């Protein structure tokens, strides 16, 4: 079951794959160089839509890595860098990382990236079609939990390495360095050389080790918070598993350490945003699994962003909070549908007032963010503004039949149409093809509801299946009623 949509994925550097740092002259480097060019070229090619060429690059890369590993089975480079993308490729990447771990378990980047592969695999399975759950490594919760173990191992190793580096630095400041253990500075890393005669080019190895810093520790802490946030989304969708262990994990292993690391690095805003998103997700999971009442859930959203400084001029923070407000509405609606809150008309009327308030706050946050110069992914912001208006209109549907929403239905549709049209224009200017397509289809759907069926028919003439998909998604997300869908059948 898919998690609620979010405005933006994390932009942090730590979310990127860390490259391996080994190289060797001779025949092995030929395999490494030949194989390593293909997967990353494939990634770039996929961005411009050349999927077949990308697949050929990947297949060739796998063959190169396999040939190299057959000849050099102990090669860390080949085992570690064997590529992965999407479901099958991520599984290949996971097998490759596990093999690399058999060669070396004392590499922080390898531990970190193994956790990243596991979280990517978990996200893809939890958000994908049902057939994804029929294959190995199919339980996303277990994958997330294993990822947390790798991130913790990475953090422990980094803390040890930082302590050792500090001790060595203090020792070197008080006396001469041991010549046998001298370090030669190279770029941002170090090449450790024993005091011996230079080997031949054929046998020479150079291991580049980037120094561990407080920023490294904070990366490894924040990625665990992000993983816990994803776990909360999964638990919310399931609605059965107790999220208590998630809060305990955060409080016992992360909370205080993040505060200390943020103070040491000065990365207060990034840390505060990551923690706020987690607290909202945890509150949502608590409510979805009947561990929290609606009032406690509400207070959790409000409290999550209280500590952020200059919140009103931070586009990312505004959009994150708006996403939390939208998630509140969706989660509340699903609870009403299940009968978890109550089915009496009085309960539905009261819930409509609460949901209207949160949707309006979400709309206000997106609107404020859209006017800030630091706003990223502006087409997506305008799309969400249109979605907010469609959700507000949905409160006028039976059985809620919220009076304000019902009376304002036409105005809300016209607002949504304007926002979707604006999103399409900005997306066109920014060459954001996915957002442009979504905005154009949603604008056509709203136009159809307003009686302007020609625009919808024009879109359907060449892409009828896509129109039906958009309508189906909007029905599933609660933005359209079944009556709406019947009117839009073409």
């Amino acid at each position: 079951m898919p998690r609620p949509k979010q405005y933006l994925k994390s932009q942090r550097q730590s979310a990127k794959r860390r490259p391996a740092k080994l190289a060797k002259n001779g025949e092995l480097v030929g395999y490494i160089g030949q194989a390593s060019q293909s997967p990353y070229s494939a990634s770039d090619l996929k961005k411009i839509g050349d999927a077949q060429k990308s697949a050929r690059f990947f297949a060739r890369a796998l063959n190169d890595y396999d040939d190299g590993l057959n000849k050099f089975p102990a090669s860390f480079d080949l085992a570690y860098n064997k590529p992965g993308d999407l479901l099958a490729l991520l599984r290949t990447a996971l097998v490759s990382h596990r093999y690399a771990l058999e060669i070396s378990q004392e590499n922080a980047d390898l531990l970190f990236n193994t956790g990243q592969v596991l979280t990517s695999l978990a996200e893809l399975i939890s958000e994908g079609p049902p057939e994804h759950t029929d294959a190995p490594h199919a339980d996303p919760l277990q994958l997330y939990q294993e990822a947390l173990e790798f991130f913790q191992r990475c953090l422990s190793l980094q803390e040890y390495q930082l302590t050792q580096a500090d001790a060595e630095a203090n020792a070197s400041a008080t006396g001469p360095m041991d010549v046998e253990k001298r370090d030669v500075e190279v770029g941002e890393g170090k090449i450790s050389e024993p005091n011996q005669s230079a080997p031949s080019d054929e046998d020479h190895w150079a291991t580049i080790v980037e120094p561990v810093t407080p920023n490294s520790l904070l990366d490894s802490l924040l990625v665990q918070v992000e993983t816990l946030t994803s776990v909360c989304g999964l638990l919310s969708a399931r609605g059965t598993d107790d999220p208590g262990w998630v809060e305990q994990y955060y409080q016992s292993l992360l909370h205080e350490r993040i505060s200390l690391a943020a103070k040491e690095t000065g990365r207060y805003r990034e840390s505060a945003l990551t923690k706020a998103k987690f607290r909202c997700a945890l509150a949502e999971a608590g409510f979805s699994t009947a561990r929290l009442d609606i009032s406690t859930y509400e207070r959790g959203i409000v409290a999550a962003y209280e500590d952020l400084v200059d919140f009103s001029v931070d586009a990312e923070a505004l959009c994150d909070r708006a996403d939390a407000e939208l998630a509140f509405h969706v989660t509340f609606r699903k609870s009403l549908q299940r009968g978890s809150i109550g089915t009496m008309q009085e309960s539905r009327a009261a819930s409509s007032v609460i949901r209207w308030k949160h949707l309006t706050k979400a709309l206000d946050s997106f609107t404020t963010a859209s006017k800030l110069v630091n706003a990223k992914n502006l087409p997506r912001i305008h799309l969400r503004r249109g979605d907010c208006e469609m959700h507000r209109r949905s409160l006028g549907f039976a059985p809620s039949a919220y009076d304000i929403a019902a009376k304002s239905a036409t105005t809300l549709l016209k607002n949504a149409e304007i926002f979707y049209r604006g999103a399409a224009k900005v997306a066109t200017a920014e060459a954001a093809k996915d957002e442009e397509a979504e905005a154009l289809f949603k604008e056509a759907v709203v136009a159809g509801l307003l009686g302007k069926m020609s625009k919808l028919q024009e879109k359907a003439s060449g892409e009828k299946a896509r129109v039906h998909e958009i309508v189906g998604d909007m029905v599933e997300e609660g933005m359209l009623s079944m009556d709406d869908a019947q009117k839009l059948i073409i």
Side-chain angles (χ1 to χ4, degrees), residues 328-348:
F328 178 91
H329 158 73
V330 172
T331 304
F332 204 148
R333 177 177 62 83
K334 291 179 179 177
S335 294
L336 283 170
Q337 289 174 339
R338 293 194 301 263
S340 303
I341 298 176
T343 56
M344 294 178 61
Q345 191 63 29
E346 293 81 359
S347 298
R348 292 191 176 276

Side-chain angles (χ1 to χ4, degrees), residues 155 217-225 253-254 257-258 261:
L155 179 63
L217 300 185
L218 185 56
D219 285 344
S220 296
L221 288 164
L222 292 183
V223 76
Q224 292 182 70
V225 181
L253 296 178
L254 303 178
R257 294 159 90 178
I258 290 175

Side-chain angles (χ1 to χ4, degrees), residues 316-385:
E316 184 179 359
L318 286 165
C319 291
D320 284 348
R321 188 180 71 173
D323 275 336
E325 302 284 2
L326 273 174
F328 178 91
H329 158 73
V330 172
T331 304
F332 204 148
R333 177 177 62 83
K334 291 179 179 177
S335 294
L336 283 170
Q337 289 174 339
R338 293 194 301 263
S340 303
I341 298 176
T343 56
M344 294 178 61
Q345 191 63 29
E346 293 81 359
S347 298
R348 292 191 176 276
S351 75
S352 296
V353 174
I354 296 172
R355 291 155 66 197
W356 179 273
K357 178 184 72 174
H358 284 275
L359 287 170
T360 302
K361 288 173 66 177
L363 177 61
D364 290 344
S365 292
F366 280 129
T367 300
T368 301
S370 70
K371 300 175 182 178
L372 298 176
V373 295
N374 62 356
K376 297 178 181 178
N377 204 344
L378 199 56
R380 179 60 55 185
I381 295 177
H382 289 308
L383 272 166
R384 299 302 250 173
R385 294 173 74 191

Side-chain angles (χ1 to χ4, degrees), residues 146-178:
E146 187 178 4
L148 289 169
E149 293 175 7
F150 276 105
F151 291 138
Q152 268 297 318
R153 287 173 58 187
C154 172
L155 179 63
S156 297
L157 180 58
Q158 288 173 325
E159 289 175 332
Y160 171 76
Q161 290 173 340
L162 186 58
T163 301
Q164 290 293 101
D166 289 343
E168 290 176 7
N170 292 334
S172 65
T174 58
M177 290 184 66
D178 186 344

